[in-house]
Amino acid sequence: MDIRTRRTLSLTITLFAVGLAALGVQWTRDRLGDASTLTGWTLLVSTAGLFLLSARKSSVNSDWGRVSAWLQVHTYMGTFASLVFLMHIGWPVRGLFELCLASCFATVALSGIALSIMNRRTPLKLAAVGVDRSVEQIPAFRAAVARDAHALALQSAEFGEGATLAEHYQQRLLPFFQSQRSWLYRLIPNGIQRRRLLRELNDLERYLADQGNASRVALASMVVTKDDLDYQYALQTRLRTLYALHAALTWSLALMIGVHVVLVYRFQGALQ
Amino acid sequence: MSNPRQPKDVTAPRPNAQTKWVCGYAKLGLACAEGPDEKGNCCQLRKDRSRPANNAVCHQECSCKDSCELAKLRYQPMLPSHTELGPCVPQRASWFSRQMLTLNFGILTAGILLLSMSLPQHEVIFVPGGLTKDHAQILSNHLVADRCSLCHPNSHSNQVSSGIQDDLCIACHQRHLPDASLRSPHDIPHEQLVKLTAKANPFAMLNGKQTLSQTSCAMCHIEHRGASFDLKAVSNTSCQACHQRRFESLAEGHPAFEGYPYRTQRRIAFDHAAHEQKHFGTKNETFECGRCHVEGTGLQKRGSIIRTVNFEQACSSCHEQAIDAATINGWAVLQLPSIEAADSQNSQLGLTHWPTSAQFGYDGQIDVPLRLLLAADPEMREVLAQLPHNGQLQQITADADRRGLVARGLARGMRKLIHEFAVDGQAAWQRRLISTASQRFGRELTTSELKLVDAMVQGVPPDLFRQMEASWFGSAPTSVTQQANPLGTQASPLLMVSQSNNDEALLSDSSDDSLLTDDSLLTDDSLLTDDSLLKNDALSSDAGNDSLLGGSANARGSIESPLTPLRGSQHVAAGGWYLDNELLALRYKPRGHADPTLAAWAEFIALLDATTTARSVTSTEPIEPTESAEAAEAIESADGEQSPLVTSVELTRLTHGDAIPGSCTQCHLLATGNSPLESTLDSSSHWTSLTRASNIRPFTKFDHTPHLTLPALSDCRYCHQFNDQQSTSLQAVLAANKDNTLAGSASQQWTEAACQFLGNEFIDMRVEQCSACHQAGGASEGCTACHNYHVGASGMNWSK
Amino acid sequence: MTAHSIEVERPSRWDYPLSKSMLKEDVAWLLQQAPFSLMDQERFARNTPLSDILRNDARLLHLQPGDVIFREGQYGGTAYLVLTGNARIFLTKLLTQADPESGQRSRRSWLKLLADTLPGSRSNRPSKKLVDSRRRARPDIATTSASTEPAAVGYRGQGTETRIFLQDVPRVLEQHATSSVHAGELFGEMAAVTRSPREYTAVAETESILLEIRWQGLKLLQQDPAFRQLLDERYRSEILRTHLRETMLFRFIPEESLQQVVEAARMESFGNLEWYAEYRQGLKQPARQRIAAEPLIAEEGSYAVGLWIVRGGFARLSRRQGAGHRTLAYLGKGQVFGLRELAQNFHNDQAVPLPYQESLRAIGYVDALCIPKQVVNEHILPFVRHADLPEPLLVPRYQFNQPVVDAPLETNEHNVETGLLEFLVDQRLMNGQQAMVIDTERCTRCDDCVRACAKTHHGTPVFVRQGPQYGPWLFAQACMHCEDPVCMIGCPTGAIHRDHESGLVQINAQTCIGCKTCAESCPYDNIRMVNATNQQGRPKVDQANGLPILLASKCDLCQDRNGQPACQSACPHDALVRMDLSDIGQVSQWAHRKVS
C-alpha cells in the first residue's frame, strides 16, 4: 500500500476511534454512568497494546509481522491513548500519586512524539554527513583523528616556519580534538564551533609558507572530520537517550497503572 | 561515491549488537577480538592474569593500510602501550545499558511505591484529592491511617460488597434525609418507580434499569474535588439522564406550571382583594403585603416560607373590638327552659322544685352545648329530635301539647343533668360529651379527641353546679358535697342576691345581639392566631382557674365590703364561668380572641359536624357494622320513624355556624376535612394560617429572600396576582351560605365554599414569569435551582 | 567464547559422502563399467583416487519407468550418468501436477515431497520455507505453448526415498518434444557447473540405473581426458539446442532451421571464471580504465557480425561518453545483443548496414553464444514476428561513412539514475538477487536488524551493517544470494550450495571444513569465518594443534523462519529491504518510492 494512503487510513481510523471514545464518554455521562471507568479501561487496553511493540521486538523468531508495521500501530495507538488520557484525567490532577502517574504518562507520550519526529529527521541529517560511522566506532575514529592532528601539529613545528601553527593548535585545536563536546552541543548539534575554528585556521594563511599551509589545510580537514564525528555521535546518542528514557519510563508507568487500578477498585464507592 | 572496502579479513568478527559488554579499549579502536564475557569480565584477565591486558595488534596482515583508517590507527607508531592505557574496563553495550536503566527505573518506582505504602502517612500520598470542608472536618478527628476506611469499607478487606459506601453515607445523613428510599430517584419506592416508568420509553428502561432502581450517592456527589467543591452541584445533564422529556432550558420548552405555587390548605378565610379594595380602601390605609407577610426569624424560619404575623399584630386593630363585643355577655352554655307552673305541681313529672321564675309557659332556647350534653342521655334523644334547628321551643307551634311534652322532657333531662353535674362535677361533663361523640362517630374516641374534651371542660367549676342546684331547685345537695366544698355554700347566697341586679344589663345585652351578628363586622373577623396556641393552653387554663378564684375572692370581698350589685359578666371581666340566676343560666365569658375553652368547643362541634356531614352523605346506605350495639339497640327502641342517629345528625347540623359566640368559624375554617383531627395530631394547626408540615421537602423549592431584593419583585403581586375572574367576594359567599343556615348544612357548606374561594384567589404562575430572569446569561437556570432530587416522604404524590 | 572450548577432529573433505549407501562392492562394480573401466587410474592425484571419488562424490540410483530425475527450474549440484536403461529429457516445459502452477496439492506437502525426492544430506531437515521462485520472470524466455494440461503424477517410496513418477509416460512423451539419453551418456552437468537452475526435466524412460555425480567429483573426473571430451561433446549436441528452444525469439522457428542454428552457433567465453581476484585488483583503478580493461565482446561502431546471446554471467552494455564509457544496462542470462541492428539491416536491404550501436563487455566472466549474421538472416529473422522485434532505430548514432555524434548525457534512462547503474555494475552488485539495501535517510542506526540477526543465528550476526554506499543507499555486507555465486566455485565439499528449489545459496555446516575458499572468493566480503561451536555454544578446537575450527558463515535469509528475513522484519522504519539488484525494474521502483 502506498505510504501516503496508509497514513491517511491510519489517521482516519485513529480519529474515528477517538471520536468513538468521546461519544462513548458522552453517552455514559448522559446515563449517569461512570465515564472514567470507560476511559480508564480503554486507556488500559490501549496502553497494554503499546507494550506489544516491545514484546514484538524482544521476540525475533516469532511470525508476528514486521516491526515497522508494529511501530505504525504503536504510533497511532499512542496518539489514541494520549487523547483518551486527556479525557480520562480530571483537570487539575489531584493527589500526589495521581500527579506522578499523570506526569509519567505525559513524559512517555511526549518523548514518544519527540521520538517519532526525530526518527524521521535524524536519518536525514545523518545521511547528509557523508561517511556513515556507527556510534560504537566513533570514539575510536575520534581518537585516531586526535592522534593524527597531534602528530601533524608536532610535525609542522619541525618545518621551521615558526611555531604559529603549533601554537594555534596548542591553544585552539587541542581542546577541540581532545575533549568531548558540551552537553548543549549534544542536545542541539550545530556547526558554530566548526565554522569558527575553520575561519581561524583560514586566517593563519598569511603567516604560513607552503608546507605550513599544507599542514593547515590538513588540519582543517581533520577539524571537519572530527566535527562530523561529533555531529553524528551527538545525533545518534541523542536519539538513543530519548529512546532509553521512553523505554525506561514505560515500566514505571506499568507499575503505577497497576497500583492505580487496584486502588480505584478497592476504593470505588459506586460498586454495582 | 563509494566507500573504500575494509581489508579482506575473512576471520574478523562481525560487530555484534547483541553482546552485553564491549571491550574497554573499543573507544580507542583497540578492542580485542574476543571481547568480555557475558558477565563483563575482560577476556584477557580471564585467560591469564599475568598477560598484559592490551593485546591490540591487528590480527590479520592488512593488505590495504592506506584505505583502512582503523588499520592506520593500529599501526600508529605512537600507539600507547598497555601500561599507559591501564587495565581494560569493559563497558556496557548501549542496548544493555538501556535495559539496565529500564530495570533500575522499574525497581526504583516499585521501591518508592512500596515505601510510600508502608509509611503511616500513605493516605496523604495516595488520596486522589482533598475532601470537602465538612467531610474533612469530620475526618480530622481520626487517625490518618483510619481515615480512608471510614468511607471506603472495601479498602482494607478483601471482601467486595456492593453499595456499602452508600450505607455509610446514609448512616450520617439520615437525620436530615430520613427516608429509607433515598437511593432511588426522588425517593420513590421501587415498586412505584417501576409503575411510573412502565409507560416510558422501553429503551430508557433497558439502559436505565440499574439506575432506576438504585442510584448510589457517588453518582452525583463526587468527593475528593478539593475543599471548596460543591458536593450538591448537579448538572442538568444528570437530571436529563433519566428524564426523557428533555428541554433545552427553563425558557425553552420547560413544561407549563400547573397549580404553582402550591395551594396549601388555608385555615383563615382571608379575602385579600376585599381587604385591599374595600376595607383598607375605605379607611385610606395602604394595603401592604409586608405588613402581614414577614420573613420568619430564628426557629420560625422554616425553609423559605414567608410567615404571617399573628392576630394581635395583623387583625386586632379592626377585629378585636367586635369579638369582645360579641362575647361581652358571656355564653349561655346551659339555660333552663320555662315550663307551665302546673307541671311543677305534678309530682309525677319530677319537676316539683322547678324555679318559679321559669314557670311562665313552655318557652326557652336549648343551645348547642346543652344539646350535646343532653344527647348523651338515651331518654333525651327522642325529645331532642322534636326540637327545631335553632332550639327555640316557641317554634314548635303546630301542637301545644307537643311543645309541652318536649319542654317537660327537656326540663326533666336538665334536672337530671344538673344533679349529675352537682354530684360528679367535670367528670359528668366529660362522660356525657364522650358518650355523645362516640355515638356520633360510631367508635371510641382517640387520644387527641379525648384531650379536646378535657380542654372543653377544663375550668368548669363543680361547685357552681351545686350552687345552681341549691339555689334553683332548692333541694340541698347531699352533705357530702357541701363538706367537700364549703366555699361553694358560702358563696351561693351572695350570687343569688347579685342575680337580680343583673336583669337590666342582661336585657340590654340581649338587645345588642342584633348588632353583634352584623355581617360586615363578623366577616371582617379574620382571626389569626399563631401556632403558640398550645403553649398558651396552660396559661389560659390557669387564667380560667384564676377567674374562678377571682370570683370567689370577689365573693369574699363582698362579705367584707358593702355589696355592690354587679352584673354577672362583670364579675368575670377577664373571662370565666358564672351563674346567671336571673335567666337561670350557666354562662361562660370568653377572654377575647383565642379563648382556649371556646376554641375547644368550636373544634369539638366542627368535628361532630364534619362527621355528621360525612355520614349523612352515606345515610342512605345500611348502617355500618362498626356501629355500637347500644346504638343499634337505641334504633330499635326509638319511636320508629326517626332513628336516634338521624336525630343527632339534625341536632348538630344547625349548630355550627352560630353555636359559638364570637363567630370563630367565620374566619377559622375548621371543618375542612372529613376528620380533621385525624390528619394531624396537633390540634392547634387548625387555628394557624397554614398547615405545611415542616419536615417535607417538596419537589419544587423556592426561597423568597433573594427574589425580594429585586425592586421589581418587592411587590408580591408581580407573582401573586389576584384572580380577577372571581367576581364575587368571600363576604358574598358567606352571605349566601347564611341564607342557607336553616337548610341545616350551613357550616360545612361555608367551609367548602370558602376553601374553594381561597383556592382561586390567586391565579397560577406561568413559566414566563420565572424565565424572564432565569435564562441563559441571567439567573441560574439549572434544574436544581428550583427542584429537589431528594424529596420528603409524603411531600409528593408521584402516582398522579 | 564463554565456556571452555571442546576439542574435536578437524573436518576433512569426504567426511560426509554424497550417499552412505555407496558400498565398496558398488564402487568395484562401477569401476568395471564404462566409462570408468576405460579410465587410467594412474592419472588421478594420489589424494583423490578414482575409487574414492566414486565412493564419496557419487551414488547409484535405481529408477523405475516414469521416475522424475529432476525437474526444470530446480537447482542442483550434480550430474547424471546413465549406466543402464534410458532417460528422457523434455525439451518443452513439462508441467506436472506436482508443480506449484498446477495447484492441485497444498504447497507445503508438495514441497515436503519434493525435498524428499532429492535425497541428500539436507533432505531430512524439517520442512522449511522455500522462497518463491527467485528466478526473474524473463519475458524473453519462452513459456511452452505445446503443453496442454499438467501431467498426472504419482508418489513412490516412503520417507526420504519418496519419488515422483509420471503416471502415463507414453502419453506425456507424445505431447512433448523429448530427446533420449542412452547408457553411457551424461546429462545435467551444465546446471551443476554454472550454478544455474536446471533447464529441463529429466525422467527415467525405462527401468534404469543412474550414477549421480557431485559437481566436485565431476571436476575431479575431468582429470581423465576421455571424460573431458565426453563433456564437451555432450554440451554441443544437446544443451545448445535446448537452450535455443527456450529462447522466446526462436519459438516459431521450424525444427530444421533450429538444427542449422545449433550447428552454426559459436560458443564463446570471455573473462576469467574466477573473476573476483581480478576484480579486487581492478577496484583500485579509475572507472574509465576498469571498463576499458573489461573483455570486449562486441564493439560499438563495428560491423554487426552476429547475434549475441548471454548464457551466463553479466555483460555490460555501454556506449562511449566523452573519454570514458557509459553503462546503459547490464545483460544477464538469456538476453540478446545486436538483434536491433541485424533486424534493421535485414528488413532494410538497400541501405548501408547499421553497425553495432553499443558495446558489449564481459563483467567478470561471460558465457555467450554468437550466431553469425547469415544464419540469423536465413533461419531466424524470417520466423520472428514483428511484435517480438525491438523498435527500429530512427536516428542511429553510428553509421558507416558518417561522423559520430557524441550524444549529450541522458539522465534517467531505464528509469534508474545512470550513476546508480554504474555503481551497481562497478561494485558487481547487480549480481545480487537478495541484496540488503538500507536507506540511510530512514535508518536511525538503531541496530535492531543486527540484534535480530544475532538472535536468529545463535548469538552471532551474519551480516555487517556497513558496506558500499551510493547516495542514501547503503549496500550492507550481507549475502546477496548472487545470480552467479562465485563463492561456490572453489568449495571442495559442496558445503556451499544452492537450495534445490529456491536457489538460495546455503552453507551446510556439517560438511563445511573451514577452508576459507568461499570467504576469500566472495567479492563482496559477505562470508566470514567464525569459530565453530557445538550445540551448547562451546567453541570447537582442533585436537591436534589447538587452533579453532572455523566455519563459513553468511546470511541464509532466515530460511528456517517463516515470513521475511529477521533483519527486514525487525527494521522499525522500513529502511531495510532485501532486493533483487539484477532486476533494474525493482531497483527503479524502490528508488522512486515515496519517501514520507
Side-chain angles (χ1 to χ4, degrees), chain A residues 2-3 7 56-58 60-63 66-68 71 119-120 123-124 126-127 132 137 236 239-240, chain C residues 440-445 448 452 455-456 466 469 561-562 564 566 569-574 594 596:
Chain A
D2 184 24
I3 290 173
R7 188 195 294 160
R56 167 67 189 88
K57 274 191 167 184
S58 62
V60 205
N61 284 312
S62 60
D63 189 16
R66 286 158 54 185
V67 172
S68 63
L71 184 67
N119 274 336
R120 289 266 169 274
L124 289 173
L126 283 175
D132 199 46
Q137 287 179 330
Q236 294 196 42
L239 192 62
R240 286 183 181 201
Chain C
T440 55
E441 284 180 352
R442 292 179 77 93
C443 172
T444 59
R445 282 77 165 164
D448 275 359
K455 274 184 191 168
T456 28
Q466 268 175 340
Q469 199 172 350
R561 297 173 69 244
N562 289 326
Q564 290 176 320
S569 72
C571 180
H573 308 294
D574 268 337
K594 279 177 188 139
S596 56

Side-chain angles (χ1 to χ4, degrees), chain A residues 30 133 139 251-252 266-267 269, chain B residues 27 69 102 152 158 165 241:
Chain A
D30 282 353
R133 301 285 182 212
W251 293 104
S252 311
R266 269 293 175 82
F267 286 81
Chain B
K27 276 187 180 173
E69 286 173 60
T102 308
H152 298 285
N158 287 319
Q165 197 180 36

Side-chain angles (χ1 to χ4, degrees), chain A residues 26-27 29-33 93-98 130-133 135-145 147-148 150-151 180 225 233 240-241 243-245 247-253 255-256 259 263 265-272, chain B residues 3 26-29 69-70 72-73 76 78-80 94 98 101-102 105-106 109-110 113 117 124-130 148 152 154-155 157-158 160-163 165 203 207 210-211 214 216 218-220 224-226 237-238 240-242 246:
Chain A
Q26 192 57 47
W27 190 86
R29 283 206 182 121
D30 282 353
R31 270 148 192 81
L32 278 184
V93 179
R94 292 194 177 82
L96 190 61
F97 172 70
E98 313 276 313
V131 187
D132 199 46
R133 301 285 182 212
V135 76
E136 288 81 12
Q137 287 179 330
I138 286 175
F141 283 114
R142 216 153 38 185
V145 171
R147 230 168 291 165
D148 283 354
H150 198 75
Q180 299 255 337
T225 311
Y233 190 78
R240 286 183 181 201
T241 311
Y243 177 63
L245 180 76
L249 278 177
T250 51
W251 293 104
S252 311
L253 188 65
L255 274 170
M256 285 202 271
V259 172
L263 282 181
Y265 277 93
R266 269 293 175 82
F267 286 81
Q268 194 179 45
L271 272 181
Q272 293 287 335
Chain B
N3 203 15
K27 276 187 180 173
L28 300 165
E69 286 173 60
L70 274 177
K72 202 160 70 180
L73 177 72
Q76 277 290 327
M78 50 182 297
L79 186 69
S94 73
R98 191 161 66 218
L101 182 76
T102 308
F105 259 74
T109 312
L113 282 174
M117 278 179 200
V124 181
I125 296 163
F126 288 104
V127 72
C148 295
H152 298 285
N154 299 334
S155 62
S157 74
N158 287 319
V160 176
S161 44
S162 63
Q165 197 180 36
F203 183 65
N207 60 45
Q210 284 290 332
T211 26
Q214 199 174 40
S216 61
M219 282 169 103
C220 295
H224 297 293
R225 291 283 173 92
T237 28
S238 300
Q240 291 186 330
C242 295
R246 289 161 186 238

Side-chain angles (χ1 to χ4, degrees), chain B residues 436-495:
Chain B
T436 308
S438 61
Q439 221 174 64
R440 180 68 51 89
F441 299 153
R443 58 172 168 80
E444 292 299 307
L445 295 193
T446 62
T447 322
S448 57
E449 283 160 352
L450 288 173
K451 275 194 176 166
L452 186 66
V453 173
D454 285 350
M456 286 162 72
V457 301
Q458 204 170 34
V460 177
D463 43 342
L464 270 187
F465 296 119
R466 301 202 173 160
Q467 211 177 29
M468 191 196 298
E469 192 173 28
S471 58
W472 292 354
F473 302 110
S475 63
T478 56
S479 57
V480 181
T481 45
Q482 282 186 334
Q483 282 164 359
N485 196 351
L487 191 68
T489 47
Q490 283 175 354
S492 55
L494 296 172
L495 285 167

Side-chain angles (χ1 to χ4, degrees), chain B residues 249-410:
Chain B
S249 62
L250 180 68
E252 299 289 326
H254 187 277
F257 290 164
E258 274 177 42
Y260 187 81
Y262 298 139
R263 299 279 174 260
T264 46
Q265 198 76 63
R266 274 164 66 184
R267 299 289 180 182
I268 311 291
F270 182 80
D271 186 345
H272 287 82
H275 273 80
E276 184 196 17
Q277 287 151 17
K278 214 181 276 176
H279 310 309
F280 279 70
T282 50
K283 290 181 185 173
N284 279 337
E285 277 194 56
T286 48
F287 183 76
E288 276 178 51
C289 306
R291 265 179 67 179
C292 294
H293 299 285
V294 295
E295 199 174 348
T297 52
L299 285 172
Q300 286 191 331
K301 187 175 182 176
R302 285 192 204 133
S304 56
I305 299 164
I306 294 239
R307 308 279 310 152
T308 45
V309 293
N310 57 19
F311 173 83
E312 281 70 26
Q313 280 172 270
C315 315
S316 61
S317 60
C318 292
H319 292 281
E320 193 160 37
Q321 262 188 320
I323 292 169
D324 286 347
T327 57
I328 191 76
N329 289 325
W331 173 44
V333 178
L334 187 150
Q335 189 168 20
L336 289 186
S338 167
I339 54 171
E340 291 290 340
D343 292 337
S344 63
Q345 309 301 321
N346 193 341
S347 59
Q348 283 180 333
L349 292 173
L351 299 169
T352 42
H353 298 288
W354 201 258
T356 47
S357 53
Q359 293 180 4
F360 48 84
Y362 301 115
D363 198 3
Q365 188 175 351
I366 311 301
D367 270 340
V368 176
L370 183 55
R371 272 186 271 174
L372 287 175
L373 291 170
L374 286 175
D377 190 353
E379 289 174 18
M380 296 308 295
R381 283 180 191 149
E382 201 183 332
V383 179
L384 287 172
Q386 308 279 336
L387 268 177
H389 293 301
N390 58 4
Q392 294 285 351
L393 280 174
Q394 274 122 327
Q395 291 203 353
I396 312 175
T397 48
D399 187 358
D401 287 348
R402 188 153 161 249
R403 183 155 67 163
L405 203 64
V406 171
R408 282 196 296 274
L410 284 168

